[in-house]
Amino acid sequence: MRDMSFYIHHLKTELRQVSTLEKAESSRRYFPEGFECLGVNAADIKQILKRFQTEYADLNAEQTLELTEAFLKEAKYNEEFLLAFALINKFVKRHYEDTLLARFEYWLEHYADNWSLVDDLCLKSIFNFLMARPHLIESMQHWALSKNPWCRRASCVVWVKFIKRKMGKQTYFLNTALVFKQCNLLLEDKNEFVQKGVGWLLKVTAIEHQAEVIRFIKENINRFTRPTLRYAIEKMDGETRKVMLQLS
């Protein structure tokens, strides 16, 4: 095994070789001012990762986690963070202790600085990690109390794939009481991306539990912003959406 700096330099070089100004400008349209990117899209990152893991197939799970940690400390651009997160994806189901969940929380609080990094980490690495550890799915409630808005957003996003989830021969159902408790904590959050996370979680919950979501909305209608309400009812039928919007 080589020094971590060798692998990091290799990955950074690969990213820069496929970056373009056009892709950078396209990415910046979706983010607030100050967003730093190289101009590398998701397909590029996937190919870089595939080549890297083929060329350095001898790196085991623990070494790859060490590389991820080292890369995150040096990363500056959005694509570097995305690639660092992606490195461990093939290992998270069958390797690592439950304590990795605490590392994910640390990464959210110290490295995630936009919605794409939050959502990527939650819907890929953390999702796969939890698929093999359903006993941990309800362990992120305290993320809603974080001082970091990106971690608070993650407390909602991390659950959107677990409202109803097939796991082998079993089907997992997330406790809706926890969903509404989480949304209740964050419903008046001042951060728009946390608000969007609340709306997203309610939207996917309504697919399986529409009556309960409608009841929650009615009980808290004066606390809902218009955008959060629209997001929460997005998948409901037209007549129901009309009635719900008239409440606010």
mmCIF file of all heavy atoms in Angstrom, residues 201-233:
data_model
loop_
_atom_site.group_PDB
_atom_site.id
_atom_site.type_symbol
_atom_site.label_atom_id
_atom_site.label_comp_id
_atom_site.label_asym_id
_atom_site.label_seq_id
_atom_site.Cartn_x
_atom_site.Cartn_y
_atom_site.Cartn_z
ATOM 1 N N LEU A 201 -39.529 14.824 3.339
ATOM 2 C CA LEU A 201 -39.850 13.694 4.213
ATOM 3 C C LEU A 201 -41.363 13.506 4.338
ATOM 4 O O LEU A 201 -41.871 12.376 4.305
ATOM 5 C CB LEU A 201 -39.219 13.905 5.593
ATOM 6 C CG LEU A 201 -39.410 12.771 6.609
ATOM 7 C CD1 LEU A 201 -38.894 11.445 6.067
ATOM 8 C CD2 LEU A 201 -38.718 13.117 7.926
ATOM 9 N N LEU A 202 -42.095 14.601 4.457
ATOM 10 C CA LEU A 202 -43.554 14.498 4.529
ATOM 11 C C LEU A 202 -44.137 13.996 3.208
ATOM 12 O O LEU A 202 -45.094 13.217 3.196
ATOM 13 C CB LEU A 202 -44.158 15.855 4.893
ATOM 14 C CG LEU A 202 -43.938 16.316 6.337
ATOM 15 C CD1 LEU A 202 -44.412 17.753 6.516
ATOM 16 C CD2 LEU A 202 -44.650 15.393 7.328
ATOM 17 N N LYS A 203 -43.568 14.436 2.107
ATOM 18 C CA LYS A 203 -44.058 14.014 0.787
ATOM 19 C C LYS A 203 -43.961 12.502 0.617
ATOM 20 O O LYS A 203 -44.922 11.856 0.181
ATOM 21 C CB LYS A 203 -43.262 14.719 -0.314
ATOM 22 C CG LYS A 203 -43.648 14.278 -1.722
ATOM 23 C CD LYS A 203 -42.937 15.090 -2.787
ATOM 24 C CE LYS A 203 -41.450 14.833 -2.819
ATOM 25 N NZ LYS A 203 -40.788 15.538 -3.959
ATOM 26 N N VAL A 204 -42.810 11.924 0.955
ATOM 27 C CA VAL A 204 -42.655 10.478 0.777
ATOM 28 C C VAL A 204 -43.444 9.703 1.828
ATOM 29 O O VAL A 204 -43.910 8.587 1.569
ATOM 30 C CB VAL A 204 -41.165 10.063 0.790
ATOM 31 C CG1 VAL A 204 -40.428 10.685 -0.384
ATOM 32 C CG2 VAL A 204 -40.479 10.425 2.094
ATOM 33 N N THR A 205 -43.618 10.294 3.003
ATOM 34 C CA THR A 205 -44.429 9.641 4.036
ATOM 35 C C THR A 205 -45.887 9.571 3.597
ATOM 36 O O THR A 205 -46.587 8.580 3.846
ATOM 37 C CB THR A 205 -44.314 10.396 5.372
ATOM 38 O OG1 THR A 205 -42.940 10.440 5.778
ATOM 39 C CG2 THR A 205 -45.128 9.712 6.468
ATOM 40 N N ALA A 206 -46.344 10.605 2.907
ATOM 41 C CA ALA A 206 -47.742 10.664 2.464
ATOM 42 C C ALA A 206 -48.082 9.572 1.454
ATOM 43 O O ALA A 206 -49.253 9.200 1.318
ATOM 44 C CB ALA A 206 -48.041 12.034 1.867
ATOM 45 N N ILE A 207 -47.097 9.042 0.769
ATOM 46 C CA ILE A 207 -47.354 7.974 -0.196
ATOM 47 C C ILE A 207 -47.944 6.755 0.505
ATOM 48 O O ILE A 207 -48.838 6.084 -0.024
ATOM 49 C CB ILE A 207 -46.057 7.605 -0.946
ATOM 50 C CG1 ILE A 207 -45.580 8.792 -1.794
ATOM 51 C CG2 ILE A 207 -46.265 6.365 -1.823
ATOM 52 C CD1 ILE A 207 -44.210 8.591 -2.421
ATOM 53 N N GLU A 208 -47.476 6.469 1.712
ATOM 54 C CA GLU A 208 -47.960 5.321 2.485
ATOM 55 C C GLU A 208 -48.945 5.712 3.583
ATOM 56 O O GLU A 208 -49.753 4.892 4.013
ATOM 57 C CB GLU A 208 -46.768 4.591 3.131
ATOM 58 C CG GLU A 208 -45.767 4.015 2.154
ATOM 59 C CD GLU A 208 -46.347 2.880 1.325
ATOM 60 O OE1 GLU A 208 -47.256 2.184 1.824
ATOM 61 O OE2 GLU A 208 -45.893 2.690 0.180
ATOM 62 N N HIS A 209 -48.871 6.968 4.042
ATOM 63 C CA HIS A 209 -49.659 7.380 5.213
ATOM 64 C C HIS A 209 -50.282 8.758 4.966
ATOM 65 O O HIS A 209 -50.083 9.683 5.751
ATOM 66 C CB HIS A 209 -48.766 7.429 6.455
ATOM 67 C CG HIS A 209 -47.935 6.200 6.678
ATOM 68 N ND1 HIS A 209 -48.456 5.042 7.220
ATOM 69 C CD2 HIS A 209 -46.622 5.945 6.409
ATOM 70 C CE1 HIS A 209 -47.491 4.125 7.297
ATOM 71 N NE2 HIS A 209 -46.380 4.652 6.813
ATOM 72 N N GLN A 210 -51.033 8.885 3.894
ATOM 73 C CA GLN A 210 -51.543 10.204 3.519
ATOM 74 C C GLN A 210 -52.440 10.816 4.589
ATOM 75 O O GLN A 210 -52.324 12.009 4.893
ATOM 76 C CB GLN A 210 -52.296 10.135 2.186
ATOM 77 C CG GLN A 210 -52.842 11.495 1.746
ATOM 78 C CD GLN A 210 -53.314 11.510 0.314
ATOM 79 O OE1 GLN A 210 -52.545 11.210 -0.597
ATOM 80 N NE2 GLN A 210 -54.581 11.854 0.096
ATOM 81 N N ALA A 211 -53.333 10.029 5.165
ATOM 82 C CA ALA A 211 -54.260 10.567 6.167
ATOM 83 C C ALA A 211 -53.510 11.132 7.370
ATOM 84 O O ALA A 211 -53.876 12.190 7.905
ATOM 85 C CB ALA A 211 -55.237 9.481 6.618
ATOM 86 N N GLU A 212 -52.452 10.446 7.782
ATOM 87 C CA GLU A 212 -51.671 10.916 8.931
ATOM 88 C C GLU A 212 -50.926 12.206 8.597
ATOM 89 O O GLU A 212 -50.820 13.109 9.437
ATOM 90 C CB GLU A 212 -50.680 9.836 9.367
ATOM 91 C CG GLU A 212 -51.332 8.604 9.969
ATOM 92 C CD GLU A 212 -50.305 7.549 10.333
ATOM 93 O OE1 GLU A 212 -49.436 7.839 11.180
ATOM 94 O OE2 GLU A 212 -50.360 6.442 9.765
ATOM 95 N N VAL A 213 -50.399 12.289 7.382
ATOM 96 C CA VAL A 213 -49.691 13.504 6.972
ATOM 97 C C VAL A 213 -50.662 14.672 6.889
ATOM 98 O O VAL A 213 -50.357 15.786 7.342
ATOM 99 C CB VAL A 213 -48.972 13.292 5.619
ATOM 100 C CG1 VAL A 213 -48.425 14.618 5.091
ATOM 101 C CG2 VAL A 213 -47.843 12.277 5.778
ATOM 102 N N ILE A 214 -51.840 14.440 6.333
ATOM 103 C CA ILE A 214 -52.848 15.501 6.252
ATOM 104 C C ILE A 214 -53.223 15.989 7.645
ATOM 105 O O ILE A 214 -53.340 17.195 7.886
ATOM 106 C CB ILE A 214 -54.095 14.998 5.490
ATOM 107 C CG1 ILE A 214 -53.769 14.855 3.996
ATOM 108 C CG2 ILE A 214 -55.275 15.946 5.694
ATOM 109 C CD1 ILE A 214 -54.886 14.245 3.177
ATOM 110 N N ARG A 215 -53.388 15.059 8.569
ATOM 111 C CA ARG A 215 -53.720 15.446 9.944
ATOM 112 C C ARG A 215 -52.599 16.285 10.560
ATOM 113 O O ARG A 215 -52.858 17.305 11.216
ATOM 114 C CB ARG A 215 -53.978 14.197 10.790
ATOM 115 C CG ARG A 215 -54.379 14.517 12.237
ATOM 116 C CD ARG A 215 -54.991 13.321 12.949
ATOM 117 N NE ARG A 215 -54.074 12.188 13.004
ATOM 118 C CZ ARG A 215 -54.246 11.060 12.322
ATOM 119 N NH1 ARG A 215 -55.287 10.907 11.517
ATOM 120 N NH2 ARG A 215 -53.373 10.073 12.432
ATOM 121 N N PHE A 216 -51.353 15.881 10.336
ATOM 122 C CA PHE A 216 -50.215 16.635 10.868
ATOM 123 C C PHE A 216 -50.184 18.043 10.280
ATOM 124 O O PHE A 216 -49.946 19.025 10.998
ATOM 125 C CB PHE A 216 -48.904 15.904 10.546
ATOM 126 C CG PHE A 216 -47.668 16.650 10.975
ATOM 127 C CD1 PHE A 216 -47.243 16.620 12.292
ATOM 128 C CD2 PHE A 216 -46.925 17.394 10.057
ATOM 129 C CE1 PHE A 216 -46.102 17.315 12.695
ATOM 130 C CE2 PHE A 216 -45.788 18.089 10.443
ATOM 131 C CZ PHE A 216 -45.377 18.045 11.770
ATOM 132 N N ILE A 217 -50.425 18.145 8.981
ATOM 133 C CA ILE A 217 -50.424 19.462 8.333
ATOM 134 C C ILE A 217 -51.526 20.342 8.907
ATOM 135 O O ILE A 217 -51.300 21.517 9.233
ATOM 136 C CB ILE A 217 -50.586 19.312 6.804
ATOM 137 C CG1 ILE A 217 -49.338 18.659 6.202
ATOM 138 C CG2 ILE A 217 -50.827 20.677 6.159
ATOM 139 C CD1 ILE A 217 -49.475 18.315 4.725
ATOM 140 N N LYS A 218 -52.721 19.796 9.047
ATOM 141 C CA LYS A 218 -53.846 20.583 9.568
ATOM 142 C C LYS A 218 -53.576 21.064 10.989
ATOM 143 O O LYS A 218 -53.903 22.203 11.346
ATOM 144 C CB LYS A 218 -55.126 19.749 9.529
ATOM 145 C CG LYS A 218 -55.689 19.551 8.130
ATOM 146 C CD LYS A 218 -56.981 18.742 8.165
ATOM 147 C CE LYS A 218 -57.598 18.627 6.782
ATOM 148 N NZ LYS A 218 -58.854 17.820 6.801
ATOM 149 N N GLU A 219 -52.961 20.207 11.795
ATOM 150 C CA GLU A 219 -52.683 20.569 13.189
ATOM 151 C C GLU A 219 -51.588 21.628 13.304
ATOM 152 O O GLU A 219 -51.497 22.324 14.322
ATOM 153 C CB GLU A 219 -52.278 19.322 13.973
ATOM 154 C CG GLU A 219 -53.424 18.337 14.194
ATOM 155 C CD GLU A 219 -52.957 17.035 14.829
ATOM 156 O OE1 GLU A 219 -51.722 16.846 14.965
ATOM 157 O OE2 GLU A 219 -53.818 16.207 15.184
ATOM 158 N N ASN A 220 -50.771 21.750 12.261
ATOM 159 C CA ASN A 220 -49.628 22.668 12.320
ATOM 160 C C ASN A 220 -49.620 23.678 11.177
ATOM 161 O O ASN A 220 -48.581 24.284 10.897
ATOM 162 C CB ASN A 220 -48.325 21.861 12.278
ATOM 163 C CG ASN A 220 -48.150 20.958 13.468
ATOM 164 O OD1 ASN A 220 -47.709 21.390 14.532
ATOM 165 N ND2 ASN A 220 -48.500 19.679 13.311
ATOM 166 N N ILE A 221 -50.771 23.886 10.549
ATOM 167 C CA ILE A 221 -50.819 24.676 9.321
ATOM 168 C C ILE A 221 -50.239 26.080 9.489
ATOM 169 O O ILE A 221 -49.603 26.617 8.571
ATOM 170 C CB ILE A 221 -52.272 24.755 8.780
ATOM 171 C CG1 ILE A 221 -52.275 25.333 7.362
ATOM 172 C CG2 ILE A 221 -53.165 25.527 9.739
ATOM 173 C CD1 ILE A 221 -51.533 24.511 6.347
ATOM 174 N N ASN A 222 -50.395 26.678 10.649
ATOM 175 C CA ASN A 222 -49.891 28.038 10.855
ATOM 176 C C ASN A 222 -48.374 28.096 10.990
ATOM 177 O O ASN A 222 -47.792 29.187 10.982
ATOM 178 C CB ASN A 222 -50.546 28.662 12.094
ATOM 179 C CG ASN A 222 -52.032 28.903 11.896
ATOM 180 O OD1 ASN A 222 -52.478 29.176 10.781
ATOM 181 N ND2 ASN A 222 -52.806 28.801 12.971
ATOM 182 N N ARG A 223 -47.746 26.943 11.090
ATOM 183 C CA ARG A 223 -46.290 26.887 11.212
ATOM 184 C C ARG A 223 -45.623 26.544 9.879
ATOM 185 O O ARG A 223 -44.404 26.599 9.769
ATOM 186 C CB ARG A 223 -45.902 25.853 12.272
ATOM 187 C CG ARG A 223 -46.481 26.147 13.656
ATOM 188 C CD ARG A 223 -46.259 24.967 14.592
ATOM 189 N NE ARG A 223 -44.833 24.706 14.767
ATOM 190 C CZ ARG A 223 -44.329 23.494 15.001
ATOM 191 N NH1 ARG A 223 -45.129 22.439 15.038
ATOM 192 N NH2 ARG A 223 -43.032 23.342 15.168
ATOM 193 N N PHE A 224 -46.420 26.181 8.898
ATOM 194 C CA PHE A 224 -45.883 25.800 7.592
ATOM 195 C C PHE A 224 -45.608 27.028 6.733
ATOM 196 O O PHE A 224 -46.442 27.932 6.647
ATOM 197 C CB PHE A 224 -46.882 24.915 6.835
ATOM 198 C CG PHE A 224 -46.730 23.443 7.076
ATOM 199 C CD1 PHE A 224 -47.303 22.850 8.197
ATOM 200 C CD2 PHE A 224 -46.015 22.646 6.196
ATOM 201 C CE1 PHE A 224 -47.174 21.490 8.427
ATOM 202 C CE2 PHE A 224 -45.882 21.283 6.413
ATOM 203 C CZ PHE A 224 -46.463 20.702 7.532
ATOM 204 N N THR A 225 -44.449 27.048 6.086
ATOM 205 C CA THR A 225 -44.239 28.037 5.033
ATOM 206 C C THR A 225 -44.953 27.518 3.788
ATOM 207 O O THR A 225 -45.199 26.314 3.652
ATOM 208 C CB THR A 225 -42.748 28.221 4.711
ATOM 209 O OG1 THR A 225 -42.225 26.991 4.179
ATOM 210 C CG2 THR A 225 -41.966 28.617 5.959
ATOM 211 N N ARG A 226 -45.287 28.403 2.891
ATOM 212 C CA ARG A 226 -45.982 27.998 1.663
ATOM 213 C C ARG A 226 -45.156 26.995 0.848
ATOM 214 O O ARG A 226 -45.686 25.981 0.390
ATOM 215 C CB ARG A 226 -46.292 29.245 0.832
ATOM 216 C CG ARG A 226 -47.260 29.019 -0.315
ATOM 217 C CD ARG A 226 -48.676 28.881 0.177
ATOM 218 N NE ARG A 226 -49.625 28.941 -0.940
ATOM 219 C CZ ARG A 226 -50.935 28.847 -0.794
ATOM 220 N NH1 ARG A 226 -51.457 28.694 0.409
ATOM 221 N NH2 ARG A 226 -51.741 28.909 -1.843
ATOM 222 N N PRO A 227 -43.846 27.231 0.648
ATOM 223 C CA PRO A 227 -43.053 26.267 -0.131
ATOM 224 C C PRO A 227 -42.988 24.884 0.522
ATOM 225 O O PRO A 227 -43.050 23.864 -0.169
ATOM 226 C CB PRO A 227 -41.666 26.919 -0.185
ATOM 227 C CG PRO A 227 -41.925 28.383 -0.028
ATOM 228 C CD PRO A 227 -43.058 28.453 0.942
ATOM 229 N N THR A 228 -42.859 24.840 1.856
ATOM 230 C CA THR A 228 -42.795 23.548 2.542
ATOM 231 C C THR A 228 -44.111 22.800 2.394
ATOM 232 O O THR A 228 -44.132 21.587 2.160
ATOM 233 C CB THR A 228 -42.463 23.740 4.036
ATOM 234 O OG1 THR A 228 -41.231 24.455 4.154
ATOM 235 C CG2 THR A 228 -42.320 22.396 4.742
ATOM 236 N N LEU A 229 -45.212 23.521 2.503
ATOM 237 C CA LEU A 229 -46.528 22.906 2.329
ATOM 238 C C LEU A 229 -46.680 22.353 0.915
ATOM 239 O O LEU A 229 -47.136 21.218 0.727
ATOM 240 C CB LEU A 229 -47.628 23.936 2.616
ATOM 241 C CG LEU A 229 -49.067 23.461 2.374
ATOM 242 C CD1 LEU A 229 -49.401 22.252 3.243
ATOM 243 C CD2 LEU A 229 -50.057 24.604 2.631
ATOM 244 N N ARG A 230 -46.301 23.130 -0.072
ATOM 245 C CA ARG A 230 -46.416 22.672 -1.464
ATOM 246 C C ARG A 230 -45.595 21.409 -1.701
ATOM 247 O O ARG A 230 -46.033 20.495 -2.401
ATOM 248 C CB ARG A 230 -45.964 23.783 -2.422
ATOM 249 C CG ARG A 230 -46.974 24.910 -2.590
ATOM 250 C CD ARG A 230 -46.522 25.878 -3.674
ATOM 251 N NE ARG A 230 -47.495 26.922 -3.918
ATOM 252 C CZ ARG A 230 -48.563 26.781 -4.704
ATOM 253 N NH1 ARG A 230 -48.772 25.626 -5.321
ATOM 254 N NH2 ARG A 230 -49.412 27.783 -4.877
ATOM 255 N N TYR A 231 -44.415 21.384 -1.130
ATOM 256 C CA TYR A 231 -43.549 20.220 -1.298
ATOM 257 C C TYR A 231 -44.167 18.995 -0.619
ATOM 258 O O TYR A 231 -44.174 17.890 -1.167
ATOM 259 C CB TYR A 231 -42.175 20.525 -0.701
ATOM 260 C CG TYR A 231 -41.030 19.758 -1.313
ATOM 261 C CD1 TYR A 231 -41.198 18.920 -2.412
ATOM 262 C CD2 TYR A 231 -39.740 19.878 -0.786
ATOM 263 C CE1 TYR A 231 -40.142 18.229 -2.967
ATOM 264 C CE2 TYR A 231 -38.669 19.190 -1.331
ATOM 265 C CZ TYR A 231 -38.880 18.364 -2.420
ATOM 266 O OH TYR A 231 -37.829 17.680 -2.964
ATOM 267 N N ALA A 232 -44.721 19.186 0.573
ATOM 268 C CA ALA A 232 -45.278 18.077 1.346
ATOM 269 C C ALA A 232 -46.475 17.425 0.658
ATOM 270 O O ALA A 232 -46.683 16.215 0.765
ATOM 271 C CB ALA A 232 -45.677 18.565 2.738
ATOM 272 N N ILE A 233 -47.263 18.211 -0.066
ATOM 273 C CA ILE A 233 -48.495 17.678 -0.675
ATOM 274 C C ILE A 233 -48.330 17.382 -2.166
ATOM 275 O O ILE A 233 -49.299 17.042 -2.846
ATOM 276 C CB ILE A 233 -49.667 18.664 -0.476
ATOM 277 C CG1 ILE A 233 -49.402 19.980 -1.218
ATOM 278 C CG2 ILE A 233 -49.904 18.915 1.010
ATOM 279 C CD1 ILE A 233 -50.564 20.971 -1.153
#
